[in-house]
Amino acid sequence: MKKIFALVLTLCLLLCFTAVAEEEFNPADHTLVFATVLVNHPVLRCVELGFKEACEELGYQYQIVGPEGQDFNEMNAAAEAAAVYADGMLLWAQDPTCLVTIDTLKNDYGCYVGVPHTYWEEGSCEGLDFTMACVPETYAEAVADFFA
């Protein structure tokens, strides 16, 4: 899981900061945010730790935001509050309410936005910079190969 999020984070950074490639780039000057629907859930805690470790390894400032109880509206509000200082955001967007938030994060705050697992048809999600969607069968096969 950590490798997947390190890859997602790297992809986000490549997309996010191509505009500053001509300048001296210091990752410590940039903040990445993971907006989760449920902070400290046992499964999502693994995702949070992978995000944290990847940010630390790459030298980025980071923050993890979200509600203590599963609530997409609260997650969306936390994401918008964090967008004030975030350069890039990974949003746990499993709910259609997140579509408006993604558009707002991109257009109102200039934040680069990605989702780690949900596939949105091309052009159906305004403001989305990338998605790490997968085909469940392929994912299951890759996990089985990894553990074999």
Side-chain angles (χ1 to χ4, degrees):
M1 188 63 97
K2 291 178 190 175
K3 290 180 182 179
I4 292 172
F5 280 95
L7 179 62
V8 169
L9 186 60
T10 302
L11 178 60
C12 177
L13 298 175
L14 289 173
L15 291 172
C16 294
F17 303 115
T18 55
V20 296
E22 298 153 5
E23 301 173 16
E24 185 67 29
F25 182 78
N26 182 1
D29 295 336
H30 301 280
T31 301
L32 302 177
V33 174
F34 173 50
T36 179
V37 69
L38 183 56
V39 173
N40 289 323
H41 179 276
V43 173
L44 293 176
R45 184 69 182 143
C46 294
V47 178
E48 292 169 20
L49 290 172
F51 180 80
K52 174 186 175 288
E53 289 176 5
C55 286
E56 288 174 349
E57 183 178 319
L58 295 169
Y60 287 88
Q61 299 294 317
Y62 68 89
Q63 184 161 5
I64 298 169
V65 300
E68 293 289 329
Q70 185 170 347
D71 185 322
F72 281 101
N73 290 322
E74 286 185 31
M75 180 197 71
N76 291 333
E80 284 191 47
V84 171
Y85 56 82
D87 298 296
M89 188 171 306
L90 198 58
L91 186 70
W92 196 265
Q94 289 180 296
D95 187 82
T97 63
C98 299
L99 295 174
V100 173
T101 301
I102 291 168
D103 186 45
T104 300
L105 294 172
K106 180 68 172 190
N107 294 318
D108 293 358
Y109 297 97
C111 189
Y112 293 94
V113 185
V115 295
H117 64 342
T118 305
Y119 179 72
W120 301 102
E121 293 289 333
E122 186 174 335
S124 68
C125 184
E126 293 294 322
L128 185 63
D129 292 303
F130 72 93
T131 182
M132 286 297 298
C134 66
V135 176
E137 294 83 9
T138 306
Y139 177 74
E141 193 175 294
V143 170
D145 288 344
F146 176 78
F147 286 109

